[in-house]
Amino acid sequence: MKQYSKRSAFIHWLIFLLVIAALYLGHNLDESKNTAQKLSMFPVHFLIGDLVLLLVLLRIYFRKKDGEPAPANANPLLNKIAAGTHVLLNLSLIAVAVSGVATAATSGVIEALKKGDPNLIPDFDKVDAKEFHELFIGLMLLLVAFHVVAALYHQFVVKDNLLRRIMVRRF
């Protein structure tokens, strides 16, 4: 097998886009002073996070079911680093989603949403789970940056056309 299955590739890019959307919404939630606007953004942010979690688990399943391409590097150490990075990326995405659920569950924001009362939105700086959520987001972003740099290095320095393996439309 030279490439990931099309469904694994599609889920990979969908997760990427959804993570960008969740980061954007999360940043707006942190920065916004408009509590009514925040109240309307929380359900969307939660839905995207839950969808990312579901898709990560689905992608792991399909990766096992469909198989994966042979390692890209001739160096066994680099292959172990690549495999470890993929595992850590998946774990960090799961940790971000789970810590997000924990943050919502322990903060009181669910009550604010149920009652439709923006005045009940909690001060998230006082919610312990949010610290873990932010920690896992930082870790995820570092892993994503490493992943992107490694892929671009393969594509443009090594010139082994590595990106072709994960594209939905094969070029």
Side-chain angles (χ1 to χ4, degrees):
M1 168 184 264
K2 292 184 178 188
Q3 300 166 317
Y4 290 97
S5 68
K6 286 188 177 187
R7 64 183 168 190
S8 286
F10 178 77
I11 293 171
H12 171 274
W13 293 110
L14 184 56
I15 290 169
F16 174 72
L17 293 174
L18 289 170
V19 165
I20 289 171
L23 287 169
Y24 175 78
L25 274 172
H27 176 74
N28 285 345
L29 281 165
D30 272 350
E31 297 296 318
S32 178
K33 303 297 180 213
N34 182 336
T35 55
Q37 182 184 32
K38 279 185 173 190
L39 199 62
S40 68
M41 287 192 293
F42 277 116
V44 178
H45 184 70
F46 297 163
L47 181 64
I48 292 171
D50 292 344
L51 188 54
V52 167
L53 176 60
L54 176 66
L55 288 171
V56 167
L57 296 174
L58 199 58
R59 183 163 186 267
I60 291 168
Y61 171 77
F62 284 139
R63 193 168 171 177
K64 297 289 183 205
K65 186 174 192 254
D66 298 343
E68 55 189 273
N73 300 292
N75 182 328
L77 177 62
L78 292 178
N79 289 327
K80 286 182 181 182
I81 291 170
T85 301
H86 285 115
V87 168
L88 289 173
L89 270 167
N90 286 330
L91 288 175
S92 70
L93 286 164
I94 292 167
V96 167
V98 169
S99 63
V101 169
T103 300
T106 61
S107 66
V109 72
I110 303 297
E111 193 64 28
L113 289 168
K114 283 181 184 177
K115 292 184 177 178
D117 187 351
N119 296 318
L120 294 178
I121 293 175
D123 178 1
F124 282 98
D125 290 333
K126 296 178 182 174
V127 179
D128 292 336
K130 185 165 187 274
E131 289 182 36
F132 287 101
H133 190 55
E134 290 174 345
L135 173 72
F136 293 133
I137 290 169
L139 178 62
M140 177 201 62
L141 289 174
L142 286 172
L143 289 164
V144 168
F146 180 75
H147 182 63
V148 168
V149 167
L152 294 175
Y153 171 78
H154 268 276
Q155 189 70 21
F156 298 111
V157 176
V158 178
K159 296 184 181 186
D160 61 2
N161 212 15
L162 182 80
L163 288 178
R164 186 175 197 280
R165 295 163 37 127
I166 196 62
M167 292 298 168
V168 176
R169 186 165 184 254
R170 315 302 183 174
F171 55 92

